[in-house]
Amino acid sequence: MRLLAAIALLLGLAAPANAHRGHASLAVVEIDAKSGAATVTHHLQAHDVEPALVDIAPDAQPSLDDPDALKALVAYVGQRFRIAGVRLAPAGQRLDGDTVVLRYIGLLKGKPKQLLISGALFGETWDDHSTQVNIRIVGRGAGITRSLNFGAHDPEKPIALPGS
């Protein structure tokens, strides 16, 4: 009976270590229906990002406290996450608890019926990293959101825009 209690205690202590097995991020793309202005907001987990800084910013400290590492992260995400035909420029970042929020802005040309998005992130560090991308048009339709999911090494993917 004591042996079973000891095993149960050890399994209970191991559970928190196993609680976070995957690596994931969220990107929200909001497009203004009238102007074509696009805002991309990335929500990344610091406990996923900091180990990845070893690969992203090898000359910096692998910490979000290091301005060089944060600058490299902003550049990396800006280079890896792309919307075909749209130049996305960094527009701010903040640390919010364990969440790293990176914002980029750009402008769509015309009124495209679909977008071609590259959303694979952190494949150099995490083979199991996934990125969910939610795309919504602001000011048109009934608030319809389209979603894409990217694995760490997925190629770009097309997605029809809401209201198309």
Side-chain angles (χ1 to χ4, degrees):
M1 188 62 124
R2 285 185 187 181
L3 179 60
L4 288 176
I7 291 172
L9 178 63
L10 289 174
L11 289 175
L13 292 174
N18 291 326
H20 182 76
R21 290 178 181 240
H23 306 282
S25 59
L26 171 67
V28 178
V29 178
E30 290 187 337
I31 300 168
D32 183 278
K34 288 184 180 182
S35 69
T39 301
V40 180
T41 306
H42 294 275
H43 302 269
L44 313 167
Q45 298 303 305
H47 58 265
D48 289 342
V49 170
E50 285 190 324
L53 291 173
V54 171
D55 295 313
I56 295 168
D59 296 329
Q61 293 296 316
S63 169
L64 292 165
D65 293 332
D66 183 334
D68 291 336
L70 186 56
K71 183 178 176 181
L73 174 66
V74 170
Y76 170 86
V77 172
Q79 186 266 330
R80 291 300 174 101
F81 185 94
R82 294 181 312 280
I83 301 172
V86 179
R87 183 182 168 278
L88 293 173
Q93 66 270 342
R94 73 177 192 275
L95 302 178
D96 189 12
D98 189 42
T99 303
V100 180
V101 180
L102 304 178
R103 213 169 130 252
Y104 300 80
I105 56 173
L107 186 63
L108 272 67
K109 295 175 184 164
K111 305 252 185 228
K113 294 185 187 254
Q114 77 170 12
L115 298 177
L116 191 58
I117 296 178
S118 297
L121 299 174
F122 306 120
E124 305 83 357
T125 307
W126 310 113
D127 282 336
D128 65 342
H129 188 273
S130 65
T131 303
Q132 179 176 325
V133 181
N134 292 342
I135 301 102
R136 69 181 80 123
I137 304 296
V138 179
R140 176 176 64 174
I144 297 170
T145 299
R146 303 271 194 262
S147 295
L148 289 172
N149 287 298
F150 289 90
H153 305 288
D154 284 354
E156 60 191 7
K157 297 179 182 183
I159 189 160
L161 292 178
S164 310

